[in-house]
Amino acid sequence: MSSFFIKKKVISAAPNKGDLKRKSNADDGKGRSKKFSKRMDEEISSDSENESADPSRKQQENEDDEIEETPQEKKLRLAKLYLEQLREEEDKKAEQDSFEADLIAGRLQDDVLEQKGKLQRLIAKELIAPDPAEIRLLRGHKLPVTCLVITPDEKYIFSASKDCSIIKWEVESGKKAQKIAGGRKGTEARHVGHTAHVLCMAISSDGKYLASGDLNKLIMIWDPMTCKHLYKFKGHREAVSGLAFRRGTHTLYSASHDRSIKVWSVDENAYVETLFGHQDMITGLDCLSRERCVTAGGRDRTVRVWKIAEESQLVFHGHEGSIDCIQLINEEHMVTGGDDGSISIWTVNKKKPVSTVKQAHGSHGNTGLEQPYWVSSVAALHNSDIVASGSHNSAVQLWKCGQGFRGLEPLFSVPMTGFVNSLKFSNSGKFLVAGVGQEHRLGRWWRIKEARNGIYIIPLKRQWSAPVSG
């Protein structure tokens, strides 16, 4: 009560002279005088001013409220906070589990499609042509490079040549790591290595074995780490023209100009069996995970799929000339090139190519006597829509496969002088390697003097699209 009177005293002192002249009986419409209403407003205003002017008192009141929380209420509040934290953690975990499940499902789906031979990663649209200044030339061979392989970890490249030597290169530095020197003809008995043109090479998927084949009908097995000679396989009656390891195993397939294919077990240093069927010398061979291999039959103009376990073969026709090179894109599709200048895409379900590009590298010669540039090498980035081809028209051509491997569209070409005798993509698709020489790997029909014998490392850059959430 005392505070009320004090406030009233302050209020009564507040009115000025102008207020005293107003009518005291003025009504606000609700039976109360305006003077009384004004006084009540000022009283309320005065209360709020006193509260804001005394923060210590307000803090004391808040502390009193907090002190008033009972132990039971505190337990209940803490329990609610704990439950809320648990709920948030469960939501985050569920979201992470869902993401991981989607990731695993996507990988499993890719694995299934890969096994079925239907996986086609569409990355051609992301590729951009490399800057010529970024292409590296590694020189070390005296004669044309005929073949090459890239180690599974992509740290090294092995190249072989008509000079009978094999060179191991460091990808990052471009330096020679090791060299297996070639020997002269007639020194086979004492020389460890090749003494004739090396025509083909293969490396196992675990990087444990390197195989090389030559004109002397021999297959050499090496340790890729040390370049130490391990075994020598004999059995072919003509030059060894194709080699491939079955992925995930140490089973080696070899093809020869003697028209046969042989199967070897490298772990056991043993010959397994021989397959016959081609009517002319075999010019190329490839293999992936299945117990089968594919071959190009040169002048018999056939591509064959060899089912090893079933002891059967599928025969395909399509080229108008010699089929000189072959590469699997996935388990069901392959690409070939020939001296008719065409590149063809095949599926194991059809006897004819699903797509063919004629004069893929153009033609040369006088008017009316034009001849197509021979396709001397092909390569495919496994389970993707990108293939590459090489000739001697001063360019390596990259192609985009259409949806379902139907159709071939040129992406871009990379300038390169000489015969492109071998092409290989790295497993990651980060670079393409070309083995180049002044002559074709199988003969001396032409000689391009201005060409340099060596390997070119071509970086493949991608124009990344915006990341997709989820």
Side-chain angles (χ1 to χ4, degrees), residues 105-286:
R107 286 181 180 173
L108 288 173
Q109 187 177 7
D110 282 358
D111 289 344
V112 170
L113 287 172
E114 184 175 355
Q115 288 172 7
K116 289 183 177 179
K118 296 179 179 178
L119 181 59
Q120 186 185 27
R121 294 190 180 96
L122 305 178
I123 59 176
K125 60 186 177 183
E126 299 171 355
L127 278 189
I128 53 176
D131 183 349
E134 295 179 341
I135 299 171
R136 293 183 289 159
L137 169 62
L138 310 184
R139 298 188 66 189
H141 291 288
K142 297 175 182 177
L143 295 176
V145 174
T146 54
C147 54
L148 61 90
V149 292
I150 304 169
T151 57
D153 61 9
E154 303 183 5
K155 291 182 179 179
Y156 300 97
I157 299 166
F158 287 89
S159 63
S161 165
K162 286 185 177 183
D163 63 12
C164 314
S165 68
I166 298 173
I167 297 178
K168 180 181 180 180
W169 306 89
E170 290 181 359
V171 172
E172 190 172 347
S173 66
K175 295 179 180 178
K176 283 185 198 175
Q178 284 169 302
K179 180 176 181 179
I180 303 170
R184 293 184 179 181
K185 189 176 180 180
T187 62
E188 294 86 357
R190 61 180 183 273
H191 178 73
V192 179
H194 293 283
T195 57
H197 297 179
V198 184
L199 298 181
C200 53
M201 282 198 297
I203 192 165
S204 59
S205 56
D206 61 357
K208 186 177 181 181
Y209 295 115
L210 172 72
S212 56
D214 67 14
L215 271 176
N216 268 357
K217 319 166 196 176
L218 297 176
I219 299 170
M220 303 276 190
I221 307 296
W222 311 86
D223 179 351
M225 291 294 293
T226 61
C227 291
K228 180 184 175 183
H229 182 261
L230 301 176
Y231 312 122
K232 183 185 291 185
F233 291 158
K234 297 179 180 180
H236 282 294
R237 291 177 285 109
E238 295 291 340
V240 180
S241 55
L243 289 168
F245 279 95
R246 182 184 172 196
R247 188 181 289 178
T249 74
H250 295 142
T251 299
L252 177 67
Y253 300 106
S254 64
S256 170
H257 289 178
D258 65 11
R259 310 178 189 181
S260 73
I261 294 156
K262 292 187 184 292
V263 185
W264 312 83
S265 174
V266 178
D267 278 332
E268 299 172 6
N269 186 19
Y271 158 79
V272 179
E273 63 178 316
T274 302
L275 309 171
F276 294 98
H278 278 292
Q279 303 303 307
D280 194 43
M281 67 180 195
I282 302 171
T283 53
L285 177 146
D286 197 20

Side-chain angles (χ1 to χ4, degrees), residues 3 21 27 36 40 52 54 63 76 156 161 171 184 228 322 414 425 443:
S3 64
K21 292 178 183 179
D27 194 24
F36 178 76
M40 289 298 292
S52 62
D54 192 6
E63 289 175 358
L76 182 62
Y156 300 97
S161 165
V171 172
R184 293 184 179 181
K228 180 184 175 183
S322 174
V414 181
F425 283 98

Side-chain angles (χ1 to χ4, degrees), residues 378-399:
V378 292
L381 181 57
H382 290 148
N383 302 308
S384 80
D385 59 344
I386 299 173
V387 296
S389 61
S391 183
H392 61 283
N393 68 323
S394 303
V396 169
Q397 182 66 49
L398 274 84
W399 306 84

